[in-house]
Amino acid sequence: MSQSGKPRRGGDRAEGHVFDGVDRRILDILQREVDRPVTSIAEEVGLSPTPCWRRIKRLEETGVIRARVALVDQRLANVPMTVFISVKVPSHAKTWLDDFRALIEAIPEITEAYRLTGDVDYILKVVVPDIAAYDLVYKAMIERMDFSQISSSISMEELKFTTALPVDHL
């Protein structure tokens, strides 16, 4: 229901908020060009600048937009090698997980980490300049924690990389 008591139309609910096609188009634009002027975004989505700005602020306040960041070129940052580390753990205790979280936070080369279902417990994405730097990350991990198994795969080619999420489900 809207504040007037009438049912809302044209939008889906996410965390109790209604988002419509205009919000989705705004998100699509911002995911491609975060520094694009509000006036340009407003023109493209068919709004005047002030209502467009209000929608962007609402997307930020509701947490749909978590942050605005700069994407750094991996090669130019001298970390061209991507390694995926599959980890099997000896314990699923909360203390082990807390220690593991602290470990992955302490190693800046670990850029992503996920807990999984299936045969592997965790997968980590590591970016490094070369195999010697990866070896240092590996040694830092095994010095601090016990693992049942660690398996590494070096990426040969990046076929797709995007930070843009599909917004059709919002």
Side-chain angles (χ1 to χ4, degrees):
M1 291 278 201
S2 69
Q3 289 179 346
S4 67
K6 296 179 184 175
R8 289 185 170 141
R9 295 181 187 200
D12 299 318
R13 295 195 178 272
E15 297 294 322
H17 298 278
V18 174
F19 301 97
D20 61 16
V22 173
D23 294 314
R24 290 183 194 94
R25 292 197 323 262
I26 290 170
L27 283 171
D28 275 337
I29 293 166
L30 288 174
Q31 287 188 99
R32 286 181 274 122
E33 300 176 81
V34 73
D35 59 349
R36 188 157 165 198
V38 172
T39 54
S40 173
I41 297 169
E43 184 178 315
E44 186 170 328
V45 301
L47 293 174
S48 61
T50 300
C52 183
W53 178 84
R54 283 190 195 118
R55 284 177 181 252
I56 292 169
K57 286 296 168 201
R58 182 175 57 120
L59 290 165
E60 291 173 338
E61 290 166 1
T62 59
V64 173
I65 296 175
R66 290 187 349 201
R68 296 184 189 209
V69 299
L71 298 177
V72 177
D73 185 283
Q74 194 171 328
R75 290 193 184 284
L76 295 177
N78 196 34
V79 286
M81 180 179 281
T82 301
V83 182
F84 294 96
I85 304 173
S86 300
V87 175
K88 290 186 181 181
V89 302
S91 169
H92 293 279
K94 183 179 179 326
T95 55
W96 192 95
L97 178 56
D98 291 343
D99 291 344
F100 185 63
R101 284 181 194 267
L103 170 74
I104 61 178
E105 285 297 322
I107 301 174
E109 292 84 359
I110 299 173
T111 60
E112 296 179 46
Y114 301 92
R115 186 167 55 94
L116 306 174
T117 61
D119 294 335
V120 172
D121 296 310
Y122 298 91
I123 191 163
L124 312 176
K125 179 181 176 185
V126 176
V127 295
V128 289
D130 52 35
I131 198 71
Y134 167 67
D135 191 44
L136 293 174
V137 170
Y138 173 82
K139 287 175 180 173
M141 290 176 61
I142 63 170
E143 286 172 5
R144 287 187 53 186
M145 298 201 65
D146 289 324
F147 299 97
S148 296
Q149 183 178 355
I150 295 181
S151 174
S152 301
S153 299
I154 297 172
S155 171
M156 300 295 289
E157 178 183 9
E158 183 180 276
L159 299 177
K160 179 179 181 179
F161 172 83
T162 182
T163 60
L165 298 176
V167 295
D168 294 342
H169 306 285
L170 182 65

